[in-house]
């Protein structure tokens, strides 16, 4: 079945460091891919998405490119801030499907 | 604030009991999704309703059931509770059903089974 694999956390970075959180997926067809973020004590919020191969999603300085050849959707940010400390979830939905499959989540700590 | 409300915020109960979790979607959203988040299982999709009809089922136990009412709010019923049912239960809503539509998550209900 469909699945999403994320790099294990926690990831600890200093402020202004470069961030990469790896995400790979297994799916038949052409899923849509998402990154959601969960701040402490809150529900998930959509960070960015991409619906087809080579699409780049971007928001709040975060970017991810849908790579079909490597079945990946890695999250990147050039300069992290303390306020980016949260849990990040990679997810997929099959085209026309109703089920969202989430990765295990990666916790990010950013130190001042 | 996502516009999705969930009640109660916290729920503490005993094994064998039954509880009902409530979710009100954002105004205008027809779809509701339920998820369970636990330390060992991560975030698991349970069930999805669109405009009152069940559209998809995920890893939902037979002891659990849900429905979406004509006013579009939804309830998740958990019965014969076990210790392992302790988790955060999230509801999410979206404008329509399926595909790449953004889901808006509520703040969750934390269930503790003692």
């Amino acid at each position: 079945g469909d699945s999403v694999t994320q790099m294990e956390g926690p990831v600890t970075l200093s402020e202004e460091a470069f961030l990469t959180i790896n995400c790979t997926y297994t799916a038949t067809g052409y899923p849509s891919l998402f990154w959601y973020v969960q701040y402490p004590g809150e529900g998930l919020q959509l960070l960015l998405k991409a619906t087809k191969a080579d699409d780049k999603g971007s928001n709040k300085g975060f970017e991810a490119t849908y790579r079909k050849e490597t079945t990946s959707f890695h999250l990147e940010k050039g300069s992290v801030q303390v306020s980016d400390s949260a849990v990040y979830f990679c997810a997929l939905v099959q085209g026309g499907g109703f089920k969202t499959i989430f990765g295990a989540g990666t916790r990010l700590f950013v130190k001042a | 604030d996502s516009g999705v409300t969930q009640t109660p915020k916290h729920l503490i109960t005993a094994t064998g009991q039954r509880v009902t979790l409530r979710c009100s979607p954002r105004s205008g959203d027809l779809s509701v999704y339920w998820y369970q988040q636990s330390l060992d299982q991560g975030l698991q999709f349970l069930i999805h309703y669109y405009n009152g009809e069940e559209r998809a089922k995920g890893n939902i136990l037979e002891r659990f059931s849900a429905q979406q009412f004509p006013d579009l709010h939804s309830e998740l019923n958990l019965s014969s509770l076990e210790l392992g049912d302790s988790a955060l239960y999230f509801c999410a809503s979206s404008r329509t059903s399926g595909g790449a539509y953004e889901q808006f998550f509520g703040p969750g209900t934390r269930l503790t089974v003692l």
Side-chain angles (χ1 to χ4, degrees):
Chain A
D2 298 345
S3 65
V4 175
T5 302
Q6 289 181 235
M7 64 187 286
E8 283 194 30
V11 173
T12 303
L13 296 173
S14 297
E15 211 166 20
E16 299 183 5
F18 185 86
L19 168 71
T20 299
I21 300 179
N22 290 337
C23 170
T24 57
Y25 67 90
T26 302
T28 55
Y30 303 95
S32 295
L33 302 174
F34 304 79
W35 277 100
Y36 280 85
V37 58
Q38 185 178 27
Y39 298 103
E42 298 183 12
L44 280 71
Q45 303 172 28
L46 179 66
L47 184 58
L48 53 85
K49 71 178 185 183
T51 58
K52 60 183 189 298
D54 301 324
D55 265 3
K56 178 187 280 191
S58 61
N59 185 25
K60 299 181 183 178
F62 291 90
E63 292 182 341
T65 301
Y66 188 142
R67 301 281 188 209
K68 192 170 186 317
E69 63 277 10
T70 55
T71 61
S72 65
F73 193 54
H74 304 321
L75 182 69
E76 296 181 337
K77 187 176 185 184
S79 175
V80 293
Q81 306 300 312
V82 172
S83 58
D84 293 328
S85 298
V87 181
Y88 292 82
F89 292 89
C90 184
L92 71 81
V93 176
Q94 274 292 6
F98 308 115
K99 281 172 60 168
T100 303
I101 308 296
F102 285 90
T106 302
R107 185 175 294 276
L108 171 66
F109 291 107
V110 181
K111 303 178 297 184
Chain B
D1 184 352
S2 67
V4 178
T5 60
Q6 290 188 247
T7 57
K9 197 172 174 67
H10 300 279
L11 198 48
I12 301 174
T13 188
T15 55
Q17 295 298 303
R18 173 190 166 92
V19 297
T20 297
L21 313 184
R22 183 188 168 101
C23 168
S24 293
R26 291 188 322 155
S27 176
D29 283 0
L30 300 178
S31 277
V32 168
Y33 305 78
W34 285 98
Y35 295 90
Q36 179 193 59
Q37 186 177 37
S38 61
L39 281 174
D40 54 343
Q41 296 287 326
L43 192 62
Q44 299 283 321
F45 165 73
L46 295 179
I47 198 162
H48 162 46
Y49 280 85
Y50 173 74
N51 205 19
E53 289 187 13
E54 182 186 304
R55 279 287 176 99
K57 263 187 174 176
N59 302 321
I60 188 165
L61 300 171
E62 284 191 15
R63 300 183 284 109
F64 295 1
S65 64
Q67 59 184 124
Q68 186 180 26
F69 294 86
D71 67 352
L72 301 177
H73 91 271
S74 178
E75 293 181 356
L76 179 67
N77 300 296
L78 315 177
S79 61
S80 302
L81 284 168
E82 302 175 0
L83 295 178
D85 298 328
S86 295
L88 257 176
Y89 291 85
F90 286 107
C91 166
S93 74
S94 66
R95 191 68 61 188
T96 183
S97 181
Y101 296 100
E102 177 178 357
Q103 294 180 36
F104 295 85
F105 281 74
T109 293
R110 182 171 293 281
L111 173 66
T112 302
V113 182
L114 301 175

